[in-house]
Amino acid sequence: MPITYIPIASQTLTSSAGSVSFSSIPQTYTDLHLLFTARDASATSKIAFLGVRMNSVTTFYTRVILNSWPGTGVFSSASSTQDAWNTIAYNASDTVANSFGVGELYIPDYTRARAKVASGSSTTEDNTTADGRFYLGAYTQDATAAITSLTVLAQSSFAAGSSFHLYGIKNT
Amino acid sequence: MALTYDPIATTTLGSANSTITFSSIPGTFTDLRLVIVANQTGSNDLPVIRFNGDTGNNYSHTHIGGNGSAGFSGRSSNASGIRFMSNTPFLTGSRPNLTIVDIFSYSATSVFKSVLANANNNDGGSGSIWRSVGLWRNTAAITSVTLNVGIETMTAGSTATLYGILRA
């Protein structure tokens, strides 16, 4: 009986890196699921944002964002001119030591010849008032080519200990 | 070995249709996940999820969302289905809606059924994003799940996949 939820690749950094790449993604699944725990190596007012690029495409990523900032409010924003699926939050180096942001990106039908969509959730948290943030994103990219690679881009650089896991999901 | 995350069925519409139904759902899993990638042909009706063919006013939901300008929240009570995007239809253009619906303890017979829906309705930088909780006030085990867009139709190529998730 085939397994449905399959680990494709994992990367856990032993030193800082500006990006993490998953290449030669098998085309035998239906959906992709990227999970991460990350911390930036730079201090950027408690929060950093990563971006995810498909293949070598650097233009016309779009987003609709819903985010929360405790004590301040809930906000929404949108853009149609990004260079990656971004505004995906994680902890910056000025959060409490050893705290990492966590998040995920779900990409359905990644081999299908149509516009790509994705759903993202990400957070920062370090047990400090007003440092916890929640970001939800609805993403599109009109490139119709199958996704064969994903590149995760740090705001500055991912700190050692940051980990990224890519899973394939089969619908049969 | 039992699978933890098991595809039960997939439907890809070969022609426009107002419903996608998964029936005779085995009761052997713990939770269900429904992954929808869909468009509508028109925007004059709204997508809902119903269980076991129940079209009565036995559903409710609460949502939080964003429309690209502002966050919002709301709810409905005594509705005829779980409106996981409240008053918003699926997209009608080339970019599909992505909605992931988690249905918890679907085969339990002592609880009302709860769902969490993650809906993404981005049409190239405009649109909305939703997170909803829904409730079906019925303790019956769920044996069918229907996605319905009322007087509209989902376009050919729209897909829905139902997965069963098994606990340890």
Side-chain angles (χ1 to χ4, degrees), chain A:
Chain A
M1 181 178 293
I3 298 173
T4 306
Y5 194 87
I6 304 160
I8 296 174
S10 289
Q11 299 189 48
T12 298
L13 299 178
T14 56
S15 60
S16 63
S19 65
V20 169
S21 294
F22 296 92
S23 58
S24 302
I25 295 173
Q27 301 294 289
T28 50
Y29 307 109
T30 309
D31 303 339
L32 295 175
H33 195 193
L34 175 68
L35 302 175
F36 70 86
T37 63
R39 183 178 176 89
D40 202 88
S42 294
T44 52
S45 301
K46 309 298 184 75
I47 188 169
F49 296 101
L50 61 83
V52 178
R53 284 190 185 140
M54 50 174 275
N55 302 340
S56 57
V57 178
T58 59
T59 55
F60 300 118
Y61 291 85
T62 84
R63 67 185 190 216
V64 176
I65 301 294
L66 175 66
N67 67 286
S68 70
W69 188 348
T72 302
V74 177
F75 307 93
S76 184
S77 61
S79 173
S80 61
T81 58
Q82 298 301 303
D83 63 2
W85 286 327
N86 55 26
T87 320
I88 301 172
Y90 64 109
N91 286 31
S93 68
D94 47 351
T95 53
V96 169
N98 302 315
S99 63
F100 285 66
V102 297
E104 62 173 347
L105 189 68
Y106 192 98
I107 309 169
D109 291 346
Y110 72 103
T111 66
R112 191 167 168 182
R114 69 178 300 177
K116 303 300 181 290
V117 296
S119 173
S121 302
S122 58
T123 64
T124 67
E125 174 59 48
D126 70 347
N127 195 43
T128 303
T129 302
D131 282 1
R133 317 278 183 89
F134 212 116
Y135 279 75
L136 305 174
Y139 300 101
T140 71
Q141 166 51 260
D142 283 349
T144 59
I147 295 175
T148 58
S149 69
L150 291 174
T151 303
V152 187
L153 304 160
Q155 176 167 321
S156 175
S157 61
F158 295 120
S162 298
S163 62
F164 305 85
H165 311 287
L166 184 65
Y167 297 89
I169 300 170
K170 299 175 75 95
N171 71 350
T172 57

Side-chain angles (χ1 to χ4, degrees), chain B:
Chain B
M1 176 185 295
L3 286 179
T4 303
Y5 195 93
D6 195 6
I8 296 173
T10 294
T11 296
T12 299
L13 294 179
S15 58
N17 200 305
S18 62
T19 63
I20 293 176
T21 296
F22 297 94
S23 57
S24 302
I25 298 171
T28 50
F29 300 102
T30 308
D31 304 318
L32 300 173
R33 169 166 279 196
L34 179 66
V35 179
I36 304 164
V37 182
N39 292 90
Q40 289 180 208
T41 50
S43 57
N44 295 307
D45 213 335
L46 307 172
V48 296
I49 288 174
R50 297 188 175 107
F51 301 122
N52 294 5
D54 183 3
T55 59
N57 296 327
N58 300 311
Y59 304 86
S60 61
H61 92 276
T62 299
H63 66 257
I64 184 172
N67 60 12
S69 298
F72 52 83
S73 66
R75 61 167 289 101
S76 68
S77 301
N78 303 312
S80 61
I82 295 175
R83 295 195 181 281
F84 49 90
M85 294 194 296
S86 188
N87 60 351
T88 299
F90 286 148
L91 297 171
T92 58
S94 62
R95 304 175 188 93
N97 168 285
L98 164 63
T99 295
I100 301 169
V101 183
D102 286 308
I103 307 165
F104 299 96
S105 299
Y106 74 102
S107 63
T109 55
S110 59
V111 300
F112 290 170
K113 305 305 181 288
S114 296
V115 310
L116 282 176
N118 163 0
N120 303 268
N121 222 42
N122 176 1
D123 194 8
S126 64
S128 54
I129 181 169
W130 305 76
R131 294 294 186 271
S132 303
V133 57
L135 181 70
W136 180 45
R137 299 189 311 282
N138 196 311
T139 58
I142 292 173
T143 58
S144 75
V145 176
T146 298
L147 172 65
N148 184 294
V149 293
I151 64 172
E152 293 290 359
T153 55
M154 287 174 279
T155 60
S158 296
T159 68
T161 299
L162 187 67
Y163 296 91
I165 301 172
L166 186 63
R167 68 181 184 184

